[in-house]
Amino acid sequence: MKLENHHQMLALAPDASRAEAAVRRFFARTQLVRYDIVEVAESSVLAASDPAFWPAVDRAISLNRQVLQDIIEEMKKAGIRSIDDLVELPQGYQSKLAHTATHLLDGFFGIDSAFFNLVEDSHWISEPLGREIRRCPDEYYLLPVRGELRVDRQRQLISSLRRFES
């Protein structure tokens, strides 16, 4: 059995092969998500000069916003109505929702990241970067990535975590 995730990664590089190298370096170094297999669909890599680039970016960012909206709806169902309610948030499922939402907002990559901007370490694209991409479209690439974690490997990783109970 396996866990499989798909991500769209924005990279700054002089060509598509170096953009892919940047994505692979990111996955090799990140501590937040570990995959046994990282595949880049080379035939689907888009330079910002490609007319399909911005619609693909918009779709991926929309998926991030939808994940965030879904988390907010779940938090509302759990009784969170305002930011003040976070003070009384019980540890458990509700705090995990808040944690995931915070990661989407603060730019920490996670398994829920549909789009990730390696240039700004963000789930979005800032206005200044958007202008820069439009100014130099041959230097920015959108890379579709499939990450796979095998369940047996997942169990091994979980069992290797340090336990905090005495």
Side-chain angles (χ1 to χ4, degrees):
M1 199 162 136
K2 64 184 177 183
L3 170 70
E4 184 177 294
N5 289 313
H6 296 268
H7 312 283
Q8 295 284 334
M9 309 293 286
L10 176 68
L12 167 63
D15 56 55
S17 66
R18 285 187 254 190
E20 180 176 342
V23 167
R24 291 190 179 284
R25 196 168 39 256
F26 170 79
F27 279 103
R29 293 179 179 171
T30 185
Q31 296 295 311
L32 297 174
V33 175
R34 292 283 184 188
Y35 291 123
D36 294 314
I37 298 169
V38 174
E39 293 179 347
V40 175
E42 292 176 25
S43 64
S44 299
V45 172
L46 296 172
S49 57
D50 189 307
F53 176 86
W54 285 108
V57 166
D58 291 343
R59 280 191 303 277
I61 289 175
S62 288
L63 289 173
N64 280 351
R65 292 195 191 287
Q66 186 58 56
V67 168
L68 187 55
Q69 187 61 50
D70 292 347
I71 290 169
I72 290 168
E73 290 305 315
E74 278 294 312
M75 291 176 71
K76 286 179 182 177
K77 288 178 189 172
I80 305 302
R81 298 287 178 251
S82 77
I83 199 159
D84 293 331
D85 294 337
L86 294 176
V87 172
E88 300 298 324
L89 188 67
Q91 190 173 14
Y93 177 69
Q94 292 91 348
S95 64
K96 301 295 186 251
L97 289 171
H99 182 88
T100 302
T102 301
H103 275 301
L104 281 166
L105 293 169
D106 68 7
F108 277 93
F109 180 81
I111 61 170
D112 296 310
S113 302
F115 170 81
F116 193 72
N117 170 350
L118 292 174
V119 181
E120 298 178 305
D121 287 326
S122 173
H123 290 96
W124 330 108
I125 295 177
S126 69
E127 286 184 38
L129 180 59
R131 286 191 300 274
E132 180 63 18
I133 293 170
R134 285 177 176 84
R135 194 177 72 75
C136 301
D138 293 327
E139 296 177 8
Y140 293 89
Y141 294 85
L142 185 65
L143 300 94
V145 175
R146 184 185 76 83
E148 181 181 311
L149 178 64
R150 296 197 178 101
V151 171
D152 57 327
R153 173 82 171 120
Q154 189 176 15
R155 283 191 196 112
Q156 179 186 0
L157 288 171
I158 291 170
S159 67
S160 71
L161 293 175
R162 191 171 94 192
R163 299 199 179 268
F164 291 101
E165 62 269 3
S166 7

